[in-house]
Amino acid sequence: SQQGEEDPQALSIQEGENATMNCSYKTSINNLQWYRQNSGRGLVHLILIRSNEREKHSGRLRVTLDTSKKSSSLLITASRAADTASYFCATIGFPGRRALTFGSGTRLQVQP
Amino acid sequence: EAGVTQSPTHLIKTRGQQATLRCSPISGHTSVYWYQQALGLGLQFLLWYDEGEERNRGNFPPRFSGRQFPNYSSELNVNALELEDSALYLCASSYGTGGKSNQPQHFGDGTRLSIL
């Protein structure tokens, strides 16, 4: 079963615009990770944020985590056509568990 | 550094047959994970192997099984194939249980299994 939902399910923007995706989860977590998947291929790890962190940056990516609301957001700034992909959040709970529980994903389309 | 490799890329089987999928982890990684991505069901955890042992299992029937070899590569076996087993099967690897718990999993490109 899915840990949570992602919002929106699909997002279409123009190149250069920012894209924001939201993720909600249901249970306590150890960390939350964001992955990208291009057209039915494997997942590419983007960023990991620990449960005691509130914000993290990596290049054009900014992730926030609100454990009180059990939610996270991924912001991609100055989007490019190459950012077109599906984006998934995934969580790992406690204790010592390694199984990722994925959200339903957001399909991002960046128009050139 | 070579990434996670999976074989075959595509596999076509008929109902009732058995399928074997293979995965080679990143060098130095001892943990291997298997996930199923089926249409309409999303990404679901199947199995986690570390140091040759099954550490955790998702909510799948026993006909889904696997093993991890001494070189840390892994096989996923699916017996008595059913139509709903059609999916993309993804393998991931990471450092093992002796390492940090907060680490990413690195995925291969998957094996697309089609059941006719």
Side-chain angles (χ1 to χ4, degrees):
Chain A
S1 63
Q2 300 297 305
Q3 165 71 297
E5 295 299 319
E6 291 181 59
D7 167 46
Q9 290 187 337
L11 180 61
S12 182
I13 59 174
Q14 298 293 125
E15 245 183 348
E17 293 182 337
N18 294 341
T20 299
M21 289 159 265
N22 302 297
C23 164
S24 62
Y25 56 91
K26 297 175 183 174
T27 61
S28 296
I29 62 169
N30 188 38
N31 66 59
L32 184 143
Q33 304 178 36
W34 285 89
Y35 287 83
R36 184 185 76 225
Q37 184 177 38
N38 289 86
S39 191
R41 291 176 61 85
L43 299 170
V44 175
H45 181 264
L46 297 176
I47 199 164
L48 181 153
I49 186 165
R50 295 179 175 80
S51 60
N52 61 352
E53 297 176 313
R54 292 296 167 259
E55 188 171 313
K56 204 161 182 181
H57 296 255
S58 177
R60 295 184 294 115
L61 306 180
R62 172 180 170 253
V63 167
T64 62
L65 179 65
D66 186 336
T67 53
S68 67
K69 294 182 179 177
K70 291 187 169 58
S71 68
S72 174
S73 68
L74 170 68
L75 169 67
I76 303 174
T77 60
S79 63
R80 306 166 182 167
D83 294 329
T84 294
S86 292
Y87 291 81
F88 295 89
C89 68
T91 56
I92 288 185
F94 298 97
R97 295 176 63 85
R98 294 289 190 90
L100 288 168
T101 304
F102 286 88
S104 52
T106 292
R107 189 170 182 82
L108 174 65
Q109 177 78 38
V110 181
Q111 307 284 355
Chain B
E1 177 186 87
V4 176
T5 57
Q6 292 187 244
S7 63
T9 305
H10 294 92
L11 189 57
I12 300 175
K13 294 284 186 178
T14 57
R15 286 179 59 190
Q17 285 188 315
Q18 185 244 1
T20 298
L21 288 62
R22 296 179 177 83
C23 172
S24 292
I26 290 171
S27 178
H29 287 182
T30 62
S31 276
V32 170
Y33 314 83
W34 288 95
Y35 294 86
Q36 182 199 63
Q37 187 175 28
L39 201 62
L41 294 177
L43 282 149
Q44 297 189 79
F45 166 73
L46 263 166
L47 290 159
W48 167 29
Y49 291 95
D50 184 70
E51 297 286 355
E53 293 188 17
E54 183 181 301
R55 301 289 183 172
N56 196 10
R57 182 183 182 85
N59 188 24
F60 281 84
R63 59 191 186 82
F64 286 84
S65 65
R67 55 180 172 166
Q68 186 178 34
F69 299 99
N71 67 352
Y72 304 115
S73 66
S74 176
E75 275 184 0
L76 174 68
N77 295 293
V78 188
N79 294 319
L81 287 165
E82 300 178 1
L83 293 176
E84 54 263 35
D85 297 334
S86 291
L88 180 68
Y89 289 84
L90 293 164
C91 173
S93 74
S94 75
Y95 291 107
T97 54
K100 297 183 295 183
S101 60
N102 284 308
Q103 54 177 300
Q105 294 178 17
H106 299 273
F107 284 78
D109 279 339
T111 292
R112 186 160 296 280
L113 176 63
S114 299
I115 312 303
L116 304 179

